[in-house]
Amino acid sequence: MNKECSILLVDDHELVLDGLTRVLETAFAYGEIVGFSDAQQVCDEIKRKNYDLYIIDLQLKGMSGFELITSIRAVEPNARIIVATMHEEVWTVNRLVEMEVDGIVLKSSASEHIVQAVNTVLSGDRYLCPRFCHLKNQYVSKYLCRAKKMTPLTVQEKLILKYIVDGYSSREMAETLSLSENTIETHRKNLFVKLDVRNVAQLVSVALQTGSVNDKFSI
């Protein structure tokens, strides 16, 4: 990293922010490293100045890291972004892949991985830490296997599942599809059985993880 390079860090935990700053200051002799603990401050800052690299946590004050990434790219479409997060849930893994960020480092990783991520991303390549790659591969194997074992959904079940994922109530689905609420509830129960879930939250999660809504696996 040369002295013209600038990095913006954002994490709502001051200890983590200080730790990341020290790691990067130790690894790189030159450059500007600026830290923020509040997402709104970052939104104000990017209107004033563009940075060569952004390192972002997902759990922030005022808005999520995903929302902040969208805000940064609205101002700077080609912004290079690394996500540093403690969250390892499958929906987080899925969404990070969909966001196409430039680097992903899980906080359970050694500090050397954030340094590698910075070097790699500033060189124009993408960096995924070993732990993230392991989780991604693990989830792919697990949920593709689950998808193969599932009882196939009917066309109408897939349609209703999509409406459930989109947040529609049974009444709204009944009105939209010109069906009775009893028919909608019957389809709901069948979906619970076929996808082997106990509640709507699990139903939505499994639908997204296995691609039951659009026949496409998202990871």
Side-chain angles (χ1 to χ4, degrees), residues 99-132:
M99 294 288 287
E100 296 184 343
V101 293
D102 300 281
I104 301 170
V105 179
L106 298 178
K107 290 182 179 178
S108 56
S109 304
S111 60
E112 66 190 62
H113 292 296
I114 193 67
V115 176
Q116 291 174 5
V118 171
N119 277 321
T120 301
V121 172
L122 287 177
S123 296
D125 295 319
R126 194 171 187 229
Y127 181 88
L128 303 178
C129 74
R131 173 66 177 164
F132 183 86

Side-chain angles (χ1 to χ4, degrees), residues 71-210:
S71 296
I72 291 173
R73 285 186 167 159
V75 175
E76 190 181 352
N78 296 320
R80 288 179 285 195
I81 297 172
I82 294 172
V83 169
T85 180
M86 64 179 288
H87 293 285
E88 301 184 358
E89 304 88 353
V90 65
W91 50 87
T92 301
V93 173
N94 266 328
R95 193 166 180 190
L96 284 172
V97 172
E98 291 170 357
M99 294 288 287
E100 296 184 343
V101 293
D102 300 281
I104 301 170
V105 179
L106 298 178
K107 290 182 179 178
S108 56
S109 304
S111 60
E112 66 190 62
H113 292 296
I114 193 67
V115 176
Q116 291 174 5
V118 171
N119 277 321
T120 301
V121 172
L122 287 177
S123 296
D125 295 319
R126 194 171 187 229
Y127 181 88
L128 303 178
C129 74
R131 173 66 177 164
F132 183 86
C133 290
H134 170 74
L135 288 175
K136 179 183 172 184
N137 293 335
Q138 185 181 60
Y139 292 144
V140 167
S141 298
K142 177 180 178 182
Y143 289 106
L144 281 180
C145 180
R146 184 173 188 171
K148 289 178 181 178
K149 293 180 179 179
M150 280 192 328
T151 303
L153 303 182
T154 66
V155 173
Q156 189 150 61
E157 284 171 345
K158 286 184 178 182
L159 179 60
I160 288 172
L161 181 57
K162 183 180 185 306
Y163 278 113
I164 293 173
V165 170
D166 290 341
Y168 281 65
S169 68
S170 292
R171 176 177 294 181
E172 289 171 330
M173 283 186 278
E175 292 174 353
T176 302
L177 299 174
S178 298
L179 298 172
S180 70
E181 286 192 51
N182 285 338
T183 299
I184 297 296
E185 287 303 318
T186 297
H187 284 305
R188 275 182 179 268
K189 291 175 182 177
N190 289 339
L191 287 169
F192 275 46
V193 172
K194 287 187 175 183
L195 297 184
D196 189 24
V197 297
R198 299 179 181 177
N199 54 52
V200 172
Q202 290 180 352
L203 182 68
V204 171
S205 179
V206 170
L208 295 175
Q209 291 160 10
T210 59

Side-chain angles (χ1 to χ4, degrees), residues 38-103:
D38 187 285
Q40 186 55 54
Q41 292 176 339
V42 176
C43 291
D44 294 337
E45 177 68 8
I46 60 177
K47 294 175 184 176
R48 185 186 71 83
K49 175 182 177 179
N50 290 337
Y51 286 77
D52 296 299
L53 179 66
Y54 301 84
I55 301 178
I56 297 172
D57 187 16
L58 294 180
Q59 189 171 333
L60 302 170
K61 299 173 184 174
M63 68 177 69
S64 72
F66 293 115
E67 292 172 315
L68 181 57
I69 290 170
T70 300
S71 296
I72 291 173
R73 285 186 167 159
V75 175
E76 190 181 352
N78 296 320
R80 288 179 285 195
I81 297 172
I82 294 172
V83 169
T85 180
M86 64 179 288
H87 293 285
E88 301 184 358
E89 304 88 353
V90 65
W91 50 87
T92 301
V93 173
N94 266 328
R95 193 166 180 190
L96 284 172
V97 172
E98 291 170 357
M99 294 288 287
E100 296 184 343
V101 293
D102 300 281

Side-chain angles (χ1 to χ4, degrees), residues 11-30:
D11 195 294
D12 68 341
H13 291 90
E14 292 289 349
L15 286 175
V16 174
L17 192 60
D18 291 344
L20 279 174
T21 301
R22 285 196 296 272
V23 167
L24 294 178
E25 287 177 342
T26 300
F28 304 107
Y30 303 102

